[in-house]
Amino acid sequence: MSRDTTKRPAFEPASELAQAGPRDPRMRRPVPTSMGAALVLLRVFAGIVWLIALAAQWNDLIAEQVVDIPIDPDDPAVGAALWVILAFGGVLLLFDLVMALLIYLGFNWPRIVVMVFSTLSISGTFAAWWAGDQNIALDQTLFTLALDILIMLALSSRAARDYARRNDRRLPRVPASA
Protein backbone atom coordinates (compact mmCIF):
# COMPACT_ATOMS: atom_id res chain seq x y z
CA MET A 1 0.00 0.00 0.00
CA SER A 2 1.54 3.31 -1.05
CA ARG A 3 1.21 6.42 1.04
CA ASP A 4 0.50 9.88 -0.24
CA THR A 5 3.68 11.85 0.46
CA THR A 6 2.44 15.22 -0.75
CA LYS A 7 2.58 17.94 1.84
CA ARG A 8 -0.76 19.18 3.12
CA PRO A 9 -1.38 22.94 3.03
CA ALA A 10 -1.23 24.91 6.27
CA PHE A 11 -4.88 25.92 5.90
CA GLU A 12 -7.67 23.72 4.63
CA PRO A 13 -11.32 24.67 4.32
CA ALA A 14 -13.60 23.10 6.95
CA SER A 15 -15.74 21.56 4.23
CA GLU A 16 -12.71 19.65 2.97
CA LEU A 17 -11.68 18.55 6.46
CA ALA A 18 -15.19 17.27 7.21
CA GLN A 19 -15.13 14.88 4.27
CA ALA A 20 -14.08 11.39 5.28
CA GLY A 21 -12.13 9.15 3.01
CA PRO A 22 -13.56 5.94 1.62
CA ARG A 23 -14.59 3.41 4.28
CA ASP A 24 -12.37 0.42 4.84
CA PRO A 25 -13.67 -2.15 7.35
CA ARG A 26 -10.23 -3.86 7.25
CA MET A 27 -8.44 -0.71 8.44
CA ARG A 28 -5.99 -1.30 11.28
CA ARG A 29 -6.32 0.72 14.48
CA PRO A 30 -4.15 3.85 14.10
CA VAL A 31 -1.83 5.10 16.83
CA PRO A 32 -3.88 8.30 17.49
CA THR A 33 -6.93 6.16 18.36
CA SER A 34 -4.94 3.98 20.74
CA MET A 35 -3.24 7.00 22.29
CA GLY A 36 -6.55 8.84 22.63
CA ALA A 37 -8.07 5.89 24.48
CA ALA A 38 -4.96 5.61 26.68
CA LEU A 39 -5.12 9.33 27.49
CA VAL A 40 -8.78 9.01 28.46
CA LEU A 41 -7.76 6.13 30.76
CA LEU A 42 -5.07 8.36 32.22
CA ARG A 43 -7.73 11.02 32.82
CA VAL A 44 -9.81 8.39 34.65
CA PHE A 45 -6.80 7.52 36.81
CA ALA A 46 -6.20 11.21 37.55
CA GLY A 47 -9.87 11.55 38.53
CA ILE A 48 -9.59 8.63 40.93
CA VAL A 49 -6.52 10.20 42.53
CA TRP A 50 -8.36 13.53 42.79
CA LEU A 51 -11.40 11.92 44.48
CA ILE A 52 -9.15 10.09 46.97
CA ALA A 53 -7.32 13.33 47.76
CA LEU A 54 -10.64 15.15 48.19
CA ALA A 55 -11.89 12.51 50.62
CA ALA A 56 -8.62 12.60 52.57
CA GLN A 57 -8.69 16.42 52.89
CA TRP A 58 -12.46 16.85 53.22
CA ASN A 59 -12.56 18.04 56.85
CA ASP A 60 -9.73 20.51 56.30
CA LEU A 61 -11.43 21.87 53.17
CA ILE A 62 -14.72 22.34 55.00
CA ALA A 63 -13.01 24.15 57.88
CA GLU A 64 -10.97 26.31 55.49
CA GLN A 65 -13.65 27.22 52.93
CA VAL A 66 -16.68 27.74 55.14
CA VAL A 67 -15.50 30.45 57.54
CA ASP A 68 -18.69 32.52 57.94
CA ILE A 69 -20.92 29.65 59.06
CA PRO A 70 -19.71 27.39 61.86
CA ILE A 71 -19.94 23.86 60.47
CA ASP A 72 -19.03 20.79 62.44
CA PRO A 73 -16.99 18.45 60.17
CA ASP A 74 -18.50 15.52 62.08
CA ASP A 75 -22.03 16.57 61.12
CA PRO A 76 -23.75 13.76 59.15
CA ALA A 77 -24.85 16.26 56.46
CA VAL A 78 -21.21 17.16 55.77
CA GLY A 79 -20.35 13.48 55.43
CA ALA A 80 -23.36 12.94 53.18
CA ALA A 81 -22.22 15.82 50.94
CA LEU A 82 -18.86 14.12 50.54
CA TRP A 83 -20.51 10.83 49.59
CA VAL A 84 -22.72 12.58 47.02
CA ILE A 85 -19.66 14.22 45.46
CA LEU A 86 -17.74 10.92 45.46
CA ALA A 87 -20.69 9.04 43.93
CA PHE A 88 -21.19 11.66 41.21
CA GLY A 89 -17.47 11.68 40.45
CA GLY A 90 -17.42 7.88 40.36
CA VAL A 91 -20.28 7.80 37.86
CA LEU A 92 -18.48 10.34 35.65
CA LEU A 93 -15.26 8.32 35.83
CA LEU A 94 -17.11 5.10 34.98
CA PHE A 95 -18.66 6.90 31.99
CA ASP A 96 -15.18 8.06 30.91
CA LEU A 97 -13.87 4.50 31.29
CA VAL A 98 -16.63 3.14 29.03
CA MET A 99 -15.92 5.92 26.51
CA ALA A 100 -12.21 4.95 26.45
CA LEU A 101 -13.11 1.33 25.72
CA LEU A 102 -15.56 2.28 22.96
CA ILE A 103 -13.01 4.66 21.41
CA TYR A 104 -10.43 1.88 21.40
CA LEU A 105 -12.94 -0.43 19.71
CA GLY A 106 -13.45 2.18 17.01
CA PHE A 107 -16.86 3.71 17.63
CA ASN A 108 -17.30 7.26 16.38
CA TRP A 109 -19.90 8.72 18.78
CA PRO A 110 -17.77 8.21 21.93
CA ARG A 111 -14.87 9.92 20.17
CA ILE A 112 -17.11 12.92 19.49
CA VAL A 113 -18.53 12.93 23.05
CA VAL A 114 -15.04 12.83 24.62
CA MET A 115 -13.84 15.62 22.32
CA VAL A 116 -16.85 17.78 23.29
CA PHE A 117 -16.20 17.21 27.01
CA SER A 118 -12.50 17.94 26.54
CA THR A 119 -13.37 21.15 24.71
CA LEU A 120 -15.73 22.19 27.52
CA SER A 121 -13.08 21.35 30.12
CA ILE A 122 -10.40 23.36 28.30
CA SER A 123 -12.80 26.27 27.82
CA GLY A 124 -13.89 26.16 31.46
CA THR A 125 -10.29 26.17 32.66
CA PHE A 126 -9.51 29.11 30.39
CA ALA A 127 -12.60 31.03 31.55
CA ALA A 128 -11.73 30.45 35.21
CA TRP A 129 -8.16 31.57 34.58
CA TRP A 130 -9.34 34.63 32.63
CA ALA A 131 -11.73 35.63 35.42
CA GLY A 132 -8.87 35.32 37.89
CA ASP A 133 -10.54 32.60 39.93
CA GLN A 134 -8.04 29.88 39.09
CA ASN A 135 -4.30 29.65 38.69
CA ILE A 136 -2.92 27.11 36.27
CA ALA A 137 -0.34 25.26 38.32
CA LEU A 138 1.40 21.92 37.94
CA ASP A 139 -0.14 20.48 41.11
CA GLN A 140 -3.69 21.55 40.28
CA THR A 141 -4.91 22.07 36.73
CA LEU A 142 -1.95 21.83 34.38
CA PHE A 143 -1.97 18.03 34.28
CA THR A 144 -5.69 17.72 33.47
CA LEU A 145 -5.51 20.61 31.03
CA ALA A 146 -2.60 18.96 29.22
CA LEU A 147 -4.49 15.64 29.13
CA ASP A 148 -7.55 17.31 27.60
CA ILE A 149 -5.43 19.04 24.95
CA LEU A 150 -3.62 15.81 24.08
CA ILE A 151 -6.94 13.94 23.91
CA MET A 152 -8.25 16.57 21.50
CA LEU A 153 -5.14 16.31 19.32
CA ALA A 154 -5.21 12.52 19.20
CA LEU A 155 -8.93 12.01 18.62
CA SER A 156 -9.35 14.83 16.11
CA SER A 157 -6.67 13.46 13.78
CA ARG A 158 -7.61 12.26 10.33
CA ALA A 159 -6.47 8.74 11.12
CA ALA A 160 -8.68 8.53 14.23
CA ARG A 161 -11.62 9.99 12.32
CA ASP A 162 -11.21 7.60 9.40
CA TYR A 163 -10.86 4.62 11.74
CA ALA A 164 -13.97 5.59 13.69
CA ARG A 165 -15.90 5.98 10.44
CA ARG A 166 -14.47 2.91 8.70
CA ASN A 167 -17.85 1.11 8.79
CA ASP A 168 -20.01 4.12 7.89
CA ARG A 169 -22.32 2.88 5.12
CA ARG A 170 -22.82 6.41 3.77
CA LEU A 171 -19.20 6.47 2.55
CA PRO A 172 -17.93 4.76 -0.58
CA ARG A 173 -16.15 1.47 0.09
CA VAL A 174 -12.44 0.99 -0.64
CA PRO A 175 -11.99 -1.49 -3.51
CA ALA A 176 -10.82 -4.96 -2.42
CA SER A 177 -7.59 -4.67 -4.42
CA ALA A 178 -6.45 -1.57 -2.48
Side-chain angles (χ1 to χ4, degrees), residues 12-157:
E12 296 177 75
S15 60
E16 191 174 312
L17 290 173
Q19 295 175 356
R23 68 183 171 104
D24 184 5
R26 299 167 291 138
M27 183 180 184
R28 294 181 55 181
R29 183 178 298 109
V31 173
T33 298
S34 298
M35 286 306 299
L39 289 166
V40 173
L41 287 177
L42 193 56
R43 185 167 68 181
V44 169
F45 178 71
I48 291 170
V49 170
W50 186 86
L51 287 176
I52 291 170
L54 176 70
Q57 299 173 359
W58 181 252
N59 289 341
D60 294 337
L61 288 172
I62 291 298
E64 179 183 303
Q65 296 297 322
V66 186
V67 179
D68 298 337
I69 306 168
I71 293 181
D72 180 19
D74 297 327
D75 185 10
V78 173
L82 173 62
W83 282 108
V84 167
I85 292 169
L86 292 176
F88 183 71
V91 167
L92 288 178
L93 292 176
L94 182 62
F95 177 77
D96 235 5
L97 185 65
V98 170
M99 292 294 106
L101 176 65
L102 293 175
I103 288 168
Y104 185 76
L105 294 175
F107 289 91
N108 193 37
W109 68 268
R111 182 181 73 89
I112 302 297
V113 167
V114 167
M115 287 193 304
V116 166
F117 281 124
S118 290
T119 301
L120 293 174
S121 176
I122 293 166
S123 301
T125 301
F126 172 74
W129 171 81
W130 186 265
D133 295 340
Q134 182 178 22
N135 290 326
I136 296 180
L138 185 59
D139 63 338
Q140 295 171 352
T141 55
L142 187 61
F143 183 69
T144 55
L145 180 63
L147 275 177
D148 283 328
I149 291 169
L150 290 172
I151 287 169
M152 286 293 296
L153 289 172
L155 296 181
S156 65
S157 70

